[in-house]
Every structure is written in C-alpha cells, then in structure tokens.
C-alpha cells in the first residue's frame, strides 16, 4: 500500500506520522518555567542609583580601613602576652599538590590509615617498605629550627626567657582533627610498624617528653600542618606569658636569641625570620586588611566623583540641545 509523503506532515523535524496516529513533538511543555515566562526583576542602572552606591561604599570602607590600619600599627612588643613567631619567605604551602599531600584519617588516629597511608601522600607515603607516619609532603617539610630567647643581665649573664610551647594551636585542631592512635600502650608501641618522614631527625612519638604534647597532637606539628595561603607567612612558635600587671612581659634591655639551625632554605631561595608581637581585637600586626579597605573605599569614592561629573556634563549638554531644537 502506497502512502503519500508531505513535508508539512512532519512535526519539529521528526518522521512523518502514520495516518490516524498521534503527532509526536519535541516542543517543551506549555509551562511558565519551560517557556521562560517566570516573573523576573532586572535593575535599571541610572545615575540616581549607581552614584549613591559608590559614595556609600567609600564612606563606609574608608573609616573602617583607617581604624583597622591604626589599630594594627599600635600593636606594641612590650605590653601584654608576647607571641613569638617564625616566618618563612618564598615557601609555597598553597601549591595544590602540596596541600593535598596528607592523610586526615591517619592524623585522626585511624589504625587502618596509619598502616595504609592515602595515595595522596605519595611519594612520601612509604619508605623502606614501611608506612610513613605522618605521611605526605606537608609533614615531611615541617619547620624544625629551635629558638631560645635570653635576657642579658648587668654582668652579661644570660637569663632564659620562659617560652610556653602549649596553647599555640587551635583548640579544634588539638582536640578534634588530630589524634594519636588509640590504646593504653606507650606511644612508641602504638606507632609500631611505621617509620619517620624522610626529612625528620626523630620519629613522631619522640617530638616531646610531655605525653600530652607528643605524637600527632604535638602543637608545633599541628601549627605547621595548617597550611598558609601566601608564600610569605608566619606561624606561632611560642608564647611568652605576662607574669603580673606591674611588670612588662619583656622589660627594656638587651636580649640574645639562640637559633639551632636545622631547616635549610637555600633550596627554594627562601628566608627565615623571628617575630615578637602582641595581639589586639583584630589579631596580630597585619596592615593588609586596613590597606585593602582604604583602597576599595577610595576607588569607589573616586569613581563616584568621576561618574557624577560625567553625568552632570552630559545632562547639561542634553538640556542645551533640547533648547536649541
């Protein structure tokens, strides 16, 4: 039986429908969503709406930036508790592969992950056919210089300044994210079957004689494992506590800093430094945030002035043209 073909019988480019059949269509349903008829709001940018926005941003950001900048510059080195930091330059802890090179399960004390490190740790996952604890590039490159501070007395005697090594890590890191392997055996037994990172001098269970600051919960280790966002950074090393309100934490005088050099920086053309600082309501001394607020506020205010002048000029030109016509 022959059937006549007519292009008009096709629907949306599909095959022709047989006589008496139901037409198939690829047309979307007739709904507001599929037919793009949903109600929408589109702002109309005019001088009356844009100019006030720029001026408001400028008037808000500039005072905030000035306040933050002044507060940062007023942080002194002899009042309140003093924080000792070590700093590194040209060290890119924010590199993608470096940041991923760790095993959070192992750091949380999981016995399975302890003996079977994640593949993300490679090539610092195993050494001499033993799993590395802690594994990964971050742990392998841990800062290990020793800093000691002395006050020089009248007879050139060196009086050591007490440096507190606990309380420098975040509470959540110390009590939640980092855990030693479970058990009541000595820590060395709980790490049995593992080996130290390649660049470490001693294993992780010998980082400190204090059981509460040893292994994965060692605070120097925890501080280092929190990677920095920029290549020039500082990390908290020690805390110098204020004894009483009558005497400054670090009296005026001469001080001697003894550094045990263990951490080489020539390979990445870096620099090391030591910083003593106090903190304020906004943290340590860091003028970047204040400068950023001042810069954004100034740019917004300047753009507002420029657009105001342009709007005023072209509005007058338009009015003159209307009068001439």
């Amino acid at each position: 039986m022959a059937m006549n073909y007519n292009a008009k019988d096709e629907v949306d480019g599909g095959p022709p429908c047989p006589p008496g059949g139901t037409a198939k269509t690829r047309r979307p349903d007739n709904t507001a969503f599929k037919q793009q008829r949903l109600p929408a709001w589109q702002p109309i940018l005019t001088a009356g709406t844009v100019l006030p926005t720029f001026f408001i941003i400028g008037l808000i950001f500039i005072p905030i930036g000035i306040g933050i900048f002044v507060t940062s510059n007023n942080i002194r080195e002899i009042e309140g508790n003093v924080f000792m930091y070590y700093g590194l330059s040209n060290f890119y802890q924010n590199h993608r592969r470096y940041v991923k090179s760790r095993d959070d399960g192992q750091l949380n004390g999981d016995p399975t992950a302890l003996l079977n490190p994640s593949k993300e740790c490679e090539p610092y996952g195993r050494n001499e056919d033993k799993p590395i604890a802690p594994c990964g590039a971050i742990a392998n490159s841990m800062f290990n210089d020793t800093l000691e501070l002395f006050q020089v007395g009248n007879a050139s005697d060196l009086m050591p300044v007490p440096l507190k090594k606990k309380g420098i890590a975040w509470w959540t890191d110390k009590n939640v994210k980092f855990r030693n392997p479970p058990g009541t055996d000595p820590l060395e037994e709980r790490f049995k079957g593992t080996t130290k990172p390649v660049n470490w001098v001693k294993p992780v269970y010998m980082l400190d004689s204090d059981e509460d600051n040893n292994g994965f919960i060692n605070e120097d280790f925890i501080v280092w494992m929190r990677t920095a966002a920029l290549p020039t950074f500082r990390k908290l090393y020690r805390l110098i506590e204020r004894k009483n309100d009558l005497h400054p934490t670090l009296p005026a005088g001469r001080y001697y800093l003894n550094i045990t050099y263990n951490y080489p920086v020539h390979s990445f053309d870096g620099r090391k430094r030591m910083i003593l600082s106090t903190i304020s309501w906004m943290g340590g001394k860091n003028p970047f945030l204040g400068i950023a607020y001042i810069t954004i506020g100034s740019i917004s205010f300047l753009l507002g002035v420029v657009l105001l002048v342009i709007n005023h000029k072209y509005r007058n030109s338009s009015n003159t043209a209307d009068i001439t016509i």
Side-chain angles (χ1 to χ4, degrees), residues 206-221:
M206 295 179 62
L207 291 179
D208 200 305
S209 57
D210 185 356
E211 189 72 18
D212 192 43
N213 193 42
N214 199 11
F216 289 157
I217 59 174
N218 176 265
E219 298 202 22
D220 285 326
F221 171 68

Side-chain angles (χ1 to χ4, degrees), residues 44-61 296-297 299-309 311 315:
I44 300 176
L45 300 179
T46 63
T49 59
V50 174
L51 292 179
T53 302
F54 279 111
F55 285 121
I56 291 173
I57 292 176
L59 292 175
I60 292 177
F61 275 50
I296 294 174
I299 292 175
S300 297
F301 196 85
L302 180 62
L303 286 175
V305 173
V306 172
L307 292 177
L308 181 63
V309 172
N311 177 66
R315 179 182 293 177

Side-chain angles (χ1 to χ4, degrees), residues 156-172:
S156 297
D157 296 331
L158 298 179
M159 297 175 291
V161 176
L163 302 178
K164 186 180 178 182
K165 58 187 175 182
K166 297 175 66 175
I168 61 175
W170 290 21
W171 185 92
T172 51

Side-chain angles (χ1 to χ4, degrees), residues 94-102 120 122-123 137:
N94 58 352
H95 191 281
R96 182 180 63 86
R97 290 188 62 186
Y98 183 89
V99 171
K100 295 173 62 177
S101 186
R102 60 189 291 165
E120 299 287 355
E122 296 298 336

Side-chain angles (χ1 to χ4, degrees), residues 148-162 249-258 276:
E148 298 174 294
L149 187 63
F150 299 89
Q151 184 179 8
V152 181
N154 295 329
S156 297
D157 296 331
L158 298 179
M159 297 175 291
V161 176
T249 309
L250 291 177
R254 296 169 56 205
Y255 289 87
Y256 172 79
L257 178 65
N258 183 48
L276 294 175

Side-chain angles (χ1 to χ4, degrees), residues 63-185:
I64 293 177
I66 293 174
I68 295 176
F69 185 78
V70 171
T71 302
S72 176
N73 285 340
N74 286 338
I75 295 177
R76 300 179 181 177
E77 299 180 355
I78 58 175
E79 297 181 356
N81 292 335
V82 176
F83 296 85
M84 176 185 284
Y85 298 84
Y86 63 85
L88 289 175
S89 299
N90 205 36
F91 192 104
Y92 288 83
Q93 275 199 316
N94 58 352
H95 191 281
R96 182 180 63 86
R97 290 188 62 186
Y98 183 89
V99 171
K100 295 173 62 177
S101 186
R102 60 189 291 165
D103 188 336
D104 289 321
Q106 186 189 63
L107 297 174
N108 198 244
D110 184 358
T112 303
L114 182 68
L115 300 177
N116 299 280
S118 168
K119 292 182 180 179
E120 299 287 355
C121 290
E122 296 298 336
Y124 302 104
R126 306 184 74 87
N127 186 30
E128 298 178 353
D129 203 30
K130 288 185 178 181
I132 295 177
C135 70
I138 306 176
N140 186 65
S141 59
M142 178 180 168
F143 184 83
N144 60 347
D145 278 2
T146 302
L147 308 178
E148 298 174 294
L149 187 63
F150 299 89
Q151 184 179 8
V152 181
N154 295 329
S156 297
D157 296 331
L158 298 179
M159 297 175 291
V161 176
L163 302 178
K164 186 180 178 182
K165 58 187 175 182
K166 297 175 66 175
I168 61 175
W170 290 21
W171 185 92
T172 51
D173 289 347
K174 174 79 173 182
N175 297 278
V176 179
K177 295 179 64 175
F178 290 80
R179 285 279 189 275
N180 282 324
T184 57
D185 295 332

Side-chain angles (χ1 to χ4, degrees), residues 202-259:
K202 51 190 175 182
V204 67
Y205 52 81
M206 295 179 62
L207 291 179
D208 200 305
S209 57
D210 185 356
E211 189 72 18
D212 192 43
N213 193 42
N214 199 11
F216 289 157
I217 59 174
N218 176 265
E219 298 202 22
D220 285 326
F221 171 68
I222 294 174
V223 169
W224 177 258
M225 293 299 292
R226 182 169 284 276
T227 53
L230 300 174
T232 298
F233 59 87
R234 64 175 65 176
K235 290 180 181 289
L236 186 58
Y237 180 71
R238 293 292 182 265
L239 172 63
I240 306 174
E241 289 187 313
R242 189 175 186 179
K243 296 179 180 179
N244 53 62
D245 296 333
L246 300 178
H247 300 87
T249 309
L250 291 177
R254 296 169 56 205
Y255 289 87
Y256 172 79
L257 178 65
N258 183 48
I259 303 174

